[in-house]
Amino acid sequence: MFVSAVSALSVSSALKSLSSCFFVALHALETFCHTSCVFSEAVLDHFRHPRNSGELPDATAVVEVSNPVCGDILKLSARVENGCISEARFLCRGCTTSIACASLLTEQLRGRSLTEARSITAESLSSSLGGLPPATFHGAQLAADAVGALLQRISSGNG
């Protein structure tokens, strides 16, 4: 009888352990599916491996823009040489899309003239990232607002 009780206890314990492992695996799969289904691979790549993040020493201009609705904040810095943006960097506190759009934005700004930089829009950033769902489009708008503010700061000469 004692052996049966120990065996039943061992089986019960093993099932609970297996159930916990299954729940953790299911949760990880659900999280992966949610992010993979909501975000394109381009968004996830820029979010996981942001390009040009950090401060930019000797920047020609630095701006900070925010989205008062969600609280995302983007600080964008650029160095201008001979009428072209030679370097751009960002710092962002925000959602996946805001970080991905800021990363993409710095790549698109580098090497462009100030006139060419004006063609960067929220729609063009979204398109370059595979199209953003309406619920996450605010990240592209934040980046576009930063470009506008940056170009205005550069043209006013206030760095």
Side-chain angles (χ1 to χ4, degrees):
M1 180 92 107
F2 178 72
V3 173
S4 301
V6 171
S7 295
L9 185 57
S10 296
V11 169
S12 175
S13 178
L15 286 174
K16 283 181 183 176
S17 180
L18 183 59
S19 174
S20 294
C21 289
F22 178 73
F23 177 76
V24 169
L26 185 61
H27 180 69
L29 179 62
E30 180 182 281
T31 301
F32 172 77
C33 182
H34 175 71
T35 56
S36 294
C37 295
V38 172
F39 301 117
S40 69
E41 278 304 313
V43 169
L44 293 175
D45 182 48
H46 275 278
F47 172 70
R48 291 175 181 147
H49 311 285
R51 282 67 147 182
N52 308 307
S53 63
E55 298 283 346
L56 180 60
D58 301 323
T60 305
V62 179
V63 296
E64 186 172 291
V65 295
S66 64
N67 179 332
V69 175
C70 67
D72 291 359
I73 299 171
L74 172 58
K75 181 178 179 181
L76 181 64
S77 309
R79 185 177 303 125
V80 178
E81 297 171 346
N82 301 319
C84 287
I85 299 171
S86 61
E87 186 73 33
R89 295 207 187 146
F90 78 96
L91 292 171
C92 184
R93 191 189 79 214
C95 66
T96 301
T97 308
S98 291
I99 293 167
C101 288
S103 172
L104 174 66
L105 174 62
T106 61
E107 287 190 324
Q108 291 192 355
L109 284 172
R110 292 177 73 180
R112 287 193 184 205
S113 70
L114 299 178
T115 302
E116 292 169 334
R118 292 185 199 289
S119 69
I120 298 173
T121 64
E123 291 76 14
S124 69
L125 291 167
S126 174
S127 178
S128 294
L129 289 170
L132 299 174
T136 65
F137 189 79
H138 68 276
Q141 190 59 59
L142 184 68
D145 291 347
V147 172
L150 183 77
L151 294 172
Q152 185 174 4
R153 172 82 37 97
I154 292 169
S155 68
S156 72
N158 290 332

